[in-house]
Amino acid sequence: MIDLMGGKEAFVQMLDSVFIVPPLFDDSYYGQVIHEIREMTVMNMGNYAHGNQPIQHMIYLYNYAGQPWKAQYWLRQVMNRMYTSGPDGYCGDEDNGQTSAWYVFSALGFYPVCPGTNEYVLGAPLFKKATLHFENGNSLVIDAAGNGPENMYVKSLRLNGKEDTRNYLKHGDLLKGGILNFEMDSKPNRQRGILPNDYPYSFSNELKK
């Protein structure tokens, strides 16, 4: 899809445009204003309709084009603006747990964009610390001590003390347990996660070999 859109820069511009354009819509296909359209206009994030589940992986696609800091920014915006603890805390359908699952994964700092792979695509954690206890008896501590409302960007990442520049984490590595250290910052690190080897898996790359 990146190639079809003209390359990484053009692809990122298309992603950016989703949040920039006014929340206009054409309801002629449905014959009426469906609730997903109404929820999109109310949330006022351009044409990004988080309440319609097929778009919920979109923000993570910045990682596939070498600009992960934009994913970090918009993920924090969605978590802060589109979820609350009130009775109307969802900006749309729960749909069998998908909207909650997106929040839980995203708040931890990663998300299974393509369940057919063994990778979780990186975002940025919402909390300063979280611990996952696995069925194999291992535990993973997600430590982001400097996290906060302004510090939404990943400056660096270390898995068990080893620096990791990738825009993804592997399932098997997480199951081994240990410590995942996020160094957070108020400014985006435009030098991290920018090389092709840092990008998540894409089947299209298999066709280029």
Side-chain angles (χ1 to χ4, degrees):
M1 184 166 61
I2 291 175
D3 291 342
L4 290 171
M5 287 187 175
K8 291 183 291 185
E9 290 299 322
F11 180 71
V12 167
Q13 288 179 6
M14 289 295 291
L15 293 178
D16 292 343
S17 72
V18 173
F19 302 102
I20 295 172
V21 297
L24 303 177
F25 56 86
D26 177 4
D27 62 0
S28 60
Y29 178 82
Y30 302 100
Q32 60 180 332
V33 177
I34 61 173
H35 71 88
E36 287 90 351
I37 292 176
R38 182 61 61 209
E39 289 149 5
M40 178 192 73
T41 59
V42 169
M43 298 315 297
N44 195 29
M45 285 181 65
N47 265 193
Y48 180 75
H50 189 76
N52 196 19
Q53 284 70 24
I55 203 174
Q56 289 184 358
H57 71 287
M58 190 211 85
I59 296 175
Y60 287 93
L61 298 183
Y62 283 111
N63 288 279
Y64 293 77
Q67 296 193 29
W69 56 90
K70 289 189 175 180
Q72 295 155 22
Y73 173 82
W74 285 113
L75 290 168
R76 182 66 64 91
Q77 294 300 310
V78 171
M79 284 187 279
N80 285 345
R81 294 165 58 181
M82 297 192 175
Y83 289 84
T84 75
S85 58
D88 59 346
Y90 292 118
C91 59
D93 292 337
E94 168 65 321
D95 270 11
N96 298 314
Q98 163 58 24
T99 303
S100 292
W102 184 95
Y103 183 87
V104 172
F105 271 112
S106 295
L108 292 173
F110 46 85
Y111 181 77
V113 169
C114 182
T117 73
N118 65 343
E119 295 177 358
Y120 299 95
V121 180
L122 204 66
L126 182 63
F127 305 110
K128 292 185 176 181
K129 188 176 182 180
T131 303
L132 301 179
H133 302 289
F134 302 125
E135 290 185 0
N136 62 9
N138 296 334
S139 295
L140 177 73
V141 177
I142 302 171
D143 187 3
N147 208 348
E150 301 298 325
N151 293 350
M152 67 184 73
Y153 298 105
V154 178
K155 183 176 181 180
S156 66
L157 177 66
R158 297 189 311 277
L159 178 58
N160 293 325
K162 184 179 180 181
E163 186 171 359
D164 196 332
T165 63
R166 299 174 301 175
N167 295 335
Y168 63 92
L169 299 164
K170 290 198 172 183
H171 182 75
D173 291 337
L174 298 183
L175 287 182
K176 294 176 184 177
I179 302 178
L180 189 62
N181 289 105
F182 286 88
E183 183 182 5
M184 306 297 290
D185 201 349
S186 60
K187 299 178 181 179
N189 182 355
R190 299 176 187 271
Q191 301 304 313
R192 188 192 175 281
I194 62 175
L195 300 177
N197 287 339
D198 296 324
Y199 301 173
Y201 173 81
S202 171
F203 181 68
S204 298
N205 292 332
E206 299 288 335
L207 304 178
K208 296 176 182 178
K209 293 181 179 178

